[in-house]
Amino acid sequence: MAKKLFVKTYGCQMNVYDSDRMADVLAPHGYESSDTPEGADLVILNTCHIREKATEKVYSELGRLRALKDEAARQGRRMLIGVAGCVAQAEGEEIARRAPVVDLVFGPQTYHRLPELLVRALERDALGGARVVDTDFPAEAKFDHLPEAAGHRGATAFLSVQEGCDKFCTFCVVPYTRGAEFSRPAADVLAEARRLVAGGSAEITLLGQNVNAYHGIGPHGATWGLGRLIRALADIPGLQRLRYTTSHPRDVDDELIAAHREVPALMPYLHLPVQSGSDRLLTAMNRKHTAEFYRRIVDRLRDARPDLALSSDFIVGFPGETDQDFADTLRLVREVGFAQAYTFKYSARPGTPAADMGDAVPEPVKADRLSALQQLIGAQQVAFNKAAIGSVQPVLFERRGARPGQLIGRGPWMQSVHADAPDRLLGHVVPVRIIDGHANSLSGAVVTIAGPEPAPPAIERVTA
Ligand code: SAH
Ligand code: SF4
Ligand code: F3S
């Protein structure tokens, strides 16, 4: 009988991708994915360490899982619990000490070893001994040791092309949890993309902690940047849309800007984190760019692709942040104009340089700044969504909506679009007239095309 695997994913899209790949690794070993931890033979928490809250969530989930594991034991079943991802990498053995319910701990670079780790965990469960902990950064690349990614990921799919980070922003744990920057060879990426398209994906989002630092080996030994890779991917028949995330302002090069100008499949929406609008803070954060540099990159991107919409990440309350620093951030937001953005209160992370800077911003000040920033960005987001009313957007339908007969998809600018549409349009790009714009979504009506079957339209730019 098939064994049941339940993976719960926290954190960024790279973890979402990794969780799918873990399921791929375990499938030949008889594990089938399940939607709930109840009755699972193996539960994996794929964790995030980016802020304190993210880490704490893992420990409360482990508390809940203990009851399930005890229940399984009473029924004479075995339930193994694994902690993977960035908390596993950062805390290792400490996790098993704090939560003895955990059987195995393994970091983001070792999940190709999962079958072997599981054998050891099962042995330990039967015979006792030390817990299985693997937080190595192995010399071999995990991607070279994984079975092929399953092709059926749905209308939109993630594809990791790059991992790790060498930037060392002073607030961030990623360089420590994911390790040094590494790019997959272009041929591997292209092969995986072809399988995804053959499996029904119309859109692929290229992933990396620093995705535009991509520098993979190309077919003839030359190094390819992300722009070159995007051009090659865009030639895959049936691949209609490309996106990439997360990029760093410093790594936006001419080739990438040219791809935005010339590759129609590259969607006009870019997540480009800036963190702060104050040069003083950007220096303290070791971001390696100024606010002016960011503005210039945005201008060049918009020059290449005038309808480009931007989103970003911001941290408020970084050590030493003054009212003036924060005012500089608000000014940058006003000047650039964002379609959306993620805002975070600074969270001191053990082992990062900023955690030792002192000069903490008091909690109430952080909270006030967060809410002021959210208000400004929220207003920009609503205005962006309202501006879409009346336009016709090509929408890729991804899933059923809450109401019967309703589908949900995304337009070119990442907005969620709800429309009444038959299930057969799932996975297709369909023209939708936008009727209303809300805080977080758009509603629209499918534009009927004469003829028996609405043909998926070519993707074009639609002016809002
Ligand atoms: N690689 C991406 C982002 C990685 S983490 C980049 O370079 O931008 C995602 C976001 O979490 C970051 O952009 C940052 O805004 C936020 N973040 C990272 N560390 C944080 C911390 N210690 N406290 C609060 N927010 C943090
Ligand atoms: Fe973290 Fe900075 Fe690297 Fe992004 S660029 S992952 S914020 S260290
Ligand atoms: Fe979190 Fe690790 Fe991603 S810390 S944001 S899961 S890289």
Side-chain angles (χ1 to χ4, degrees):
M1 211 179 71
K3 288 172 275 187
K4 290 218 171 309
L5 164 71
F6 174 72
V7 186
K8 181 161 181 169
T9 310
Y10 301 82
C12 61
Q13 291 102 326
M14 305 217 51
N15 266 9
V16 175
Y17 176 84
D18 284 358
S19 293
D20 280 342
R21 297 302 302 267
M22 284 182 212
D24 294 342
V25 174
L26 292 172
H29 297 267
Y31 284 89
E32 252 174 29
S33 292
S34 147
D35 294 336
T36 57
E38 283 80 17
D41 300 278
L42 171 63
V43 173
I44 296 175
L45 303 184
N46 195 10
T47 62
C48 175
H49 195 58
I50 201 83
R51 286 167 290 274
E52 196 178 347
K53 257 198 210 143
T55 305
E56 284 312 313
K57 272 191 207 158
V58 175
Y59 287 101
S60 34
E61 184 64 25
L62 287 171
R64 283 191 289 275
L65 287 174
R66 195 173 61 193
L68 277 186
K69 184 169 178 161
D70 291 347
E71 178 60 29
R74 272 195 295 279
Q75 295 170 0
R77 288 187 299 112
R78 205 153 48 170
M79 179 195 247
L80 287 184
I81 297 181
V83 176
C86 292
V87 178
Q89 188 62 43
E91 301 195 351
E93 300 273 358
E94 176 63 24
I95 297 175
R97 265 197 296 277
R98 256 184 88 175
V101 69
V102 171
D103 298 284
L104 69 158
V105 177
F106 56 102
Q109 302 308 332
T110 62
Y111 62 74
H112 57 295
R113 297 176 178 170
L114 196 44
E116 152 204 341
L117 297 176
L118 267 183
V119 170
R120 280 165 51 202
L122 284 165
E123 268 169 19
R124 175 193 166 270
D125 194 54
L127 306 170
R131 255 185 204 77
V132 180
V133 177
D134 188 349
T135 52
D136 200 9
F137 285 115
E140 80 271 12
K142 68 180 176 197
F143 293 110
D144 297 343
H145 296 265
L146 288 169
E148 276 188 359
H152 300 275
R153 300 288 194 220
T156 74
F158 290 140
L159 202 178
S160 280
V161 302
Q162 179 279 339
E163 267 223 77
C165 182
D166 295 340
K167 296 275 191 307
F168 290 93
C169 300
T170 53
F171 51 80
C172 184
V173 296
V174 171
Y176 313 98
T177 62
R178 294 276 171 168
E181 204 186 86
F182 157 87
S183 297
R184 291 176 71 184
D188 289 7
V189 173
L190 288 162
E192 191 167 325
R194 283 190 202 100
R195 279 198 304 278
L196 289 167
V197 173
S201 298
E203 173 181 287
I204 291 179
T205 301
L206 307 176
L207 299 181
Q209 269 88 20
N210 225 293
V211 69
N212 58 338
Y214 179 83
H215 57 282
I217 304 282
H220 305 293
T223 302
W224 278 16
L226 189 65
R228 183 70 191 82
L229 183 68
I230 285 170
R231 277 175 202 278
L233 285 162
D235 286 340
I236 296 176
L239 180 54
Q240 302 191 50
R241 294 180 162 190
L242 279 163
R243 303 180 186 276
Y244 61 91
T245 200
T246 296
S247 39
H248 192 288
R250 271 290 295 262
D251 296 322
V252 176
D253 61 10
D254 293 349
E255 199 184 27
L256 189 58
I257 293 176
H260 278 281
R261 188 193 310 272
E262 290 155 21
V263 179
L266 185 57
M267 292 290 97
Y269 177 91
L270 179 60
H271 182 60
L272 191 63
V274 64
Q275 316 299 352
S276 168
S278 152
D279 288 344
R280 208 179 62 81
L281 279 201
L282 288 168
T283 304
M285 290 174 166
N286 191 32
R287 283 292 292 183
K288 304 178 167 73
H289 62 79
T290 60
E292 192 45 40
F293 182 88
Y294 186 85
R295 287 186 186 92
R296 231 176 29 242
I297 290 289
V298 168
D299 286 348
R300 290 180 58 208
L301 284 161
R302 282 180 168 156
D303 191 45
R305 183 83 205 230
D307 62 344
L308 187 85
L310 285 148
S311 80
S312 198
D313 290 343
F314 292 90
I315 295 178
V316 298
F318 185 82
E321 184 186 60
T322 62
D323 286 342
Q324 182 56 52
D325 293 322
F326 181 62
D328 289 346
T329 297
L330 293 178
R331 185 160 59 88
L332 179 89
V333 173
R334 278 193 209 97
E335 285 168 3
V336 173
F338 292 95
Q340 205 223 316
Y342 299 93
T343 51
F344 308 102
K345 277 190 211 167
Y346 170 71
S347 167
R349 307 307 289 129
T352 60
D356 299 325
M357 283 179 184
D359 224 357
V361 174
E363 188 54 38
V365 177
K366 273 190 199 173
D368 282 353
R369 288 180 186 163
L370 186 71
S371 101
L373 183 58
Q374 284 178 340
Q375 217 175 341
L376 177 59
I377 289 166
Q380 292 188 341
Q381 186 172 331
V382 171
F384 184 72
N385 288 348
K386 293 276 182 215
I389 298 173
S391 67
V392 174
Q393 297 195 1
V395 171
L396 171 56
F397 284 119
E398 294 171 18
R399 58 194 165 92
R400 293 198 184 95
R403 267 196 305 108
Q406 185 190 51
L407 297 183
I408 302 180
R410 281 187 196 276
W413 297 277
M414 276 305 264
Q415 292 147 300
S416 236
V417 183
H418 302 240
D420 287 336
D423 280 0
R424 70 187 156 80
L425 294 185
L426 278 171
H428 291 271
V429 179
V430 178
V432 174
R433 183 170 302 282
I434 306 303
I435 295 164
D436 207 356
H438 319 282
N440 294 305
S441 65
L442 306 176
S443 41
V446 171
V447 176
T448 325
I449 302 173
E453 190 75 7
I459 293 182
E460 333 161 352
R461 275 153 68 175
V462 180
T463 30

